[in-house]
Amino acid sequence: MDENFRVGIIGGKGKMGNFFKNFFEKKGYPVEVSDVNTTLTNIELVKRNKIILISVPIEIFPEVVKEISSFVRETHWVIDICSLKNEPVKVMKKFLKKGEILATHPLFGPYEEDLKGKTIAFYPVRGKEIVKWFKNLMSSEGLNLVKISPKKHDEIMALVQVINHFWLILLAKTIKDSGFNLKDLIYLSTPSFLRQLHILKRLAKQDPQLYAKIQLENPLGKKFRNLLCRNCKDLAKAFNSEKAEEEFKKHFILAKKVAEELEILLDKIFPEKI
């Protein structure tokens, strides 16, 4: 590995920062980290490393970018991994006048042991060499790379992340309020419901503060939460009405059509998965 390709991770003591520290080290890259409790400062880290990965909470991201902006040179490659892309890209464009810049969003958490088949979204802000290097590196791990604009990314994340997490919290609250014994619920679960419980159990390892930011900082989150709740209310009213069977069949057929489209697309995009 070329010694000039040193990696510096700002926020390297955090969960995702540490994940990428281990990732780059396994790939043979020298890695240094800076964080609130390190002797190495963000500015010193930038001076010592070519590749700068910024892995900090989105609320302090602008502050960090401003702090290092005067020390980023033409030879630097800067990467962010924020879960939202529109505002971070604007910040990087505004303050980082030199170097190559790549906006990314790993669509997986820090506890993944195998990245094969996982997805990482990216958007080239400036420069071509960083994109070529990044795509080759991530592809070598079996990751799926999706190029997408920051605006479109954030719109889709309002459904993929915001509604997914909202649904899981809603499911957990409904289970809790039902009064059922969890062990009985597990023993009597159908295969499909058991899969949902396995997804829900992943929240046990997650950071409430991080999930709160994902849920509340996406500007389109409110729109999709309200849409979900409106649909829940409408369906409950329909299924409780005198025409319940007719209404159920109508909505089930709609769901089947979506499912049929999903079956075709999922088999095409992820042919190795069931």
Side-chain angles (χ1 to χ4, degrees):
M1 184 62 61
D2 190 338
E3 186 69 17
N4 291 327
F5 276 71
R6 298 175 56 86
V7 179
I9 302 177
I10 299 176
K13 293 291 186 179
K15 291 183 177 66
M16 285 303 289
N18 187 62
F19 173 88
F20 277 105
K21 176 181 181 293
N22 294 331
F23 172 85
F24 283 116
E25 285 179 340
K26 287 177 183 177
K27 289 292 185 179
Y29 290 88
V31 181
E32 291 185 317
V33 303
S34 61
D35 214 314
V36 289
N37 296 319
T38 61
T39 55
L40 185 65
T41 67
N42 294 341
I43 292 172
E44 289 171 339
L45 178 137
V46 170
K47 289 179 177 179
R48 291 159 58 106
N49 297 277
K50 174 183 178 63
I51 302 166
I52 308 301
L53 180 74
I54 305 176
S55 176
V56 299
I58 198 165
E59 70 269 19
I60 67 168
F61 182 80
E63 175 188 331
V64 170
V65 172
K66 290 177 191 177
E67 179 190 7
I68 68 171
S69 59
S70 300
F71 303 91
V72 174
R73 306 301 179 210
E74 291 292 352
T75 53
H76 277 113
W77 291 356
V78 180
I79 305 168
D80 89 286
I81 57 170
C82 294
S83 57
L84 292 175
K85 297 270 60 88
N86 207 35
E87 287 305 315
V89 166
K90 287 180 181 178
V91 168
M92 290 190 290
K93 282 183 175 180
K94 181 178 179 179
F95 294 103
L96 301 179
K97 301 302 182 183
K98 298 178 181 179
E100 298 194 14
I101 304 171
L102 183 65
T104 77
H105 179 200
L107 293 165
F108 52 84
Y111 302 107
E112 299 292 349
E113 295 181 1
D114 183 7
L115 295 181
K116 185 177 180 181
K118 305 298 187 299
T119 300
I120 187 161
F122 73 99
Y123 177 74
V125 180
R126 185 168 64 233
K128 295 181 179 180
E129 293 304 313
I130 188 174
V131 179
K132 187 188 304 181
W133 166 83
F134 185 80
K135 289 173 70 175
N136 288 337
L137 183 67
M138 296 302 160
S139 295
S140 71
E141 284 295 305
L143 277 157
N144 300 310
L145 290 107
V146 178
K147 182 180 178 181
I148 188 169
S149 73
K151 183 175 183 294
K152 189 67 174 177
H153 168 275
D154 290 1
E155 290 172 350
I156 292 175
M157 284 305 108
L159 188 62
V160 170
Q161 285 190 311
V162 172
I163 291 305
N164 181 37
H165 299 165
F166 185 84
W167 156 248
L168 290 175
I169 294 169
L170 181 63
L171 176 60
K173 180 167 173 51
T174 303
I175 290 172
K176 186 71 174 177
D177 291 348
S178 73
F180 292 134
N181 181 284
L182 275 178
K183 187 182 290 185
D184 292 339
L185 200 63
I186 292 169
Y187 282 139
L188 289 171
S189 286
T190 61
S192 61
F193 191 71
L194 195 59
R195 283 195 290 270
Q196 292 187 63
L197 294 182
H198 277 290
I199 295 171
L200 178 58
K201 79 175 185 181
R202 291 167 66 92
L203 290 186
K205 292 183 178 181
Q206 304 306 325
D207 179 4
Q209 187 174 351
L210 172 62
Y211 271 54
K213 295 182 189 310
I214 292 172
Q215 183 69 213
L216 304 175
E217 291 183 358
N218 191 316
L220 290 172
K222 182 178 180 180
K223 171 186 173 181
F224 282 98
R225 283 192 298 271
N226 289 344
L227 176 61
L228 176 65
C229 292
R230 187 165 66 249
N231 282 335
C232 283
K233 186 176 180 180
D234 290 345
L235 285 177
K237 182 178 179 181
F239 296 169
N240 291 335
S241 71
E242 293 180 357
K243 298 182 178 180
E245 186 173 350
E246 179 183 335
E247 287 291 328
F248 180 86
K249 287 179 180 178
K250 180 179 73 175
H251 289 288
F252 191 83
I253 289 170
L254 184 150
K256 273 195 70 171
K257 288 179 179 178
V258 175
E260 287 165 0
E261 291 182 44
L262 281 172
E263 184 176 37
I264 294 168
L265 287 170
L266 287 170
D267 287 346
K268 182 179 180 181
I269 297 170
F270 301 109
E272 296 179 2
K273 293 190 175 183
I274 297 175

